[in-house]
Amino acid sequence: MKKNLIKTVLTLVLITAFTACEKSELKQENPKDQKTAVQALAPCAPVYALVLSGSSSSPVPAGFASTIFKVDLCAAPTGYNFVSQINVAGVPVRSVTGLCNMPGVVDFAWAVTGMNSNFPSKLLRVQISTGSASVVATTTVPLQDIENYGTTGLFVAIKEGTSQLMKVSVPSGFCSVFAPAGPTPQYNGLTVVGNKFHAISGTTNLICNPTYGDIFEYTTAGGPYVGKYSYKNLTTTPSWTMKELGFHFDACCGKRWTVGSSMGIISHNTNITPCVLPNPTFLLNTTTTGQNYWYIYDFMEKL
């Protein structure tokens, strides 16, 4: 009986010690959990869209007014509001083809124009809130969908009307080949996903026939594409990836690969593995919301 009593006491001591240890570990984890919760509630970097006054493919025709809208991908339905119209000394800049972040400079972005703009093949410095822009340089080739890779100084764009990616020297405007021409006639949008560039060919179905939206992945070192995926747009919703596209990777609101077409549709897909569900999901038809000129040609995250 004495042995049983000793055994019982030892068991109680061990249980008490284990419980105290467990409580201590929970107390140590709580601050970390709280910090994670606070980080999760941190605001997203603002997302802007380059919006033109007409629907077309690339090269972009002349005459389209170029505006900037702010987009809220976390809202349901997707939120948006007009911010400014791009102009140089009060003269509207027509047919701007790309917009990207100017790292570290509040309220400013870089923009590029294509061959048919009234300011053709230009690199512009644009104040987002007012649309006031200045011509910084003439690019050596017409560009569309310019993107910057973080704060590294690497800027990449699509040579307008082709599937060739160009490295853009900012602010000189000099362009050099970043990657050879891709396997489709032209790319319609470009975005940064982690440490890679993704280029989308919205109207082709080489990768997952019959669905549309071939996506090709490039490293920041340039060279040929290293991976291929598919947006998997259904043949019943061609306007979602028709013509020119704003292409954006959303890491904040959970939308992930997001496309805004020049037909006025915003959609997204959370998984671009070829020929594997899901297909894209509809987010917004901008042409039925009272902004009949809201055709999306590019997205920009302002860091």
Side-chain angles (χ1 to χ4, degrees):
M1 183 173 178
K2 188 174 181 180
K3 287 182 179 179
N4 289 338
L5 181 61
I6 292 171
K7 186 176 180 181
T8 300
V9 171
L10 286 172
T11 301
L12 288 171
V13 169
L14 288 171
I15 291 172
T16 301
F18 178 78
T19 303
C21 180
E22 192 173 42
K23 286 181 179 178
S24 175
E25 288 176 356
L26 286 171
K27 286 179 181 178
Q28 290 174 0
E29 289 175 359
N30 280 339
K32 183 179 178 181
D33 293 342
Q34 291 170 0
K35 184 177 179 182
T36 301
V38 170
Q39 288 175 338
L41 294 173
C44 301
V47 174
Y48 295 91
L50 169 65
V51 174
L52 301 188
S53 59
S55 174
S56 182
S57 56
S58 179
V60 176
F64 291 167
S66 308
T67 54
I68 299 173
F69 276 64
K70 190 173 183 179
V71 181
D72 183 0
L73 291 172
C74 292
T78 298
Y80 69 96
N81 62 281
F82 172 85
V83 177
S84 62
Q85 181 171 344
I86 300 173
N87 68 91
V88 172
V91 178
V93 182
R94 306 295 181 181
S95 305
V96 173
T97 53
L99 191 71
C100 78
N101 181 42
M102 185 181 290
V105 183
V106 176
D107 197 30
F108 277 86
W110 294 110
V112 291
T113 61
M115 62 182 70
N116 293 318
S117 172
N118 58 331
F119 291 84
S121 301
K122 295 294 187 284
L123 176 67
L124 305 174
R125 185 179 190 269
V126 182
Q127 185 174 32
I128 297 167
S129 60
T130 66
S132 180
S134 57
V135 176
V136 176
T138 298
T139 57
T140 49
V141 296
L143 300 172
Q144 67 188 63
D145 283 53
I146 188 169
E147 293 290 336
N148 65 292
Y149 178 57
T151 58
T152 63
L154 174 61
F155 291 82
V156 175
I158 302 167
K159 182 179 179 181
E160 190 180 27
T162 75
S163 60
Q164 186 166 79
L165 300 185
M166 307 295 294
K167 182 178 179 180
V168 185
S169 178
V170 173
S172 75
F174 179 78
C175 303
S176 56
V177 173
F178 181 76
T184 67
Q186 65 180 49
Y187 289 158
N188 307 105
L190 183 67
T191 190
V192 175
V193 183
N195 63 349
K196 301 287 197 310
F197 287 96
H198 281 191
I200 187 170
S201 176
T203 59
T204 60
N205 56 6
L206 300 179
I207 295 170
C208 188
N209 188 22
T211 61
Y212 291 92
D214 297 325
I215 297 173
F216 300 92
E217 183 177 79
Y218 296 84
T219 71
T220 55
Y225 71 86
V226 296
K228 54 185 180 179
Y229 310 95
S230 176
Y231 193 64
K232 296 168 292 189
N233 186 36
L234 298 171
T235 56
T236 55
T237 54
S239 62
W240 294 15
T241 52
M242 279 291 287
K243 303 184 178 182
E244 186 57 75
L245 305 175
F247 195 30
H248 173 64
F249 183 77
D250 166 50
C252 182
C253 304
K255 300 300 188 293
R256 297 174 70 78
W257 290 270
T258 304
V259 167
S261 76
S262 69
M263 300 292 284
I265 305 296
I266 299 180
S267 61
H268 79 108
N269 201 334
T270 57
N271 185 341
I272 58 172
T273 303
C275 305
V276 174
L277 292 175
N279 298 110
T281 300
F282 173 86
L283 291 175
L284 186 70
N285 184 347
T286 66
T287 62
T288 62
T289 55
Q291 300 287 350
N292 59 4
Y293 58 89
W294 210 53
Y295 301 100
I296 305 149
Y297 282 69
D298 202 5
F299 284 112
M300 175 195 76
E301 187 173 86
K302 181 57 184 168
L303 301 174

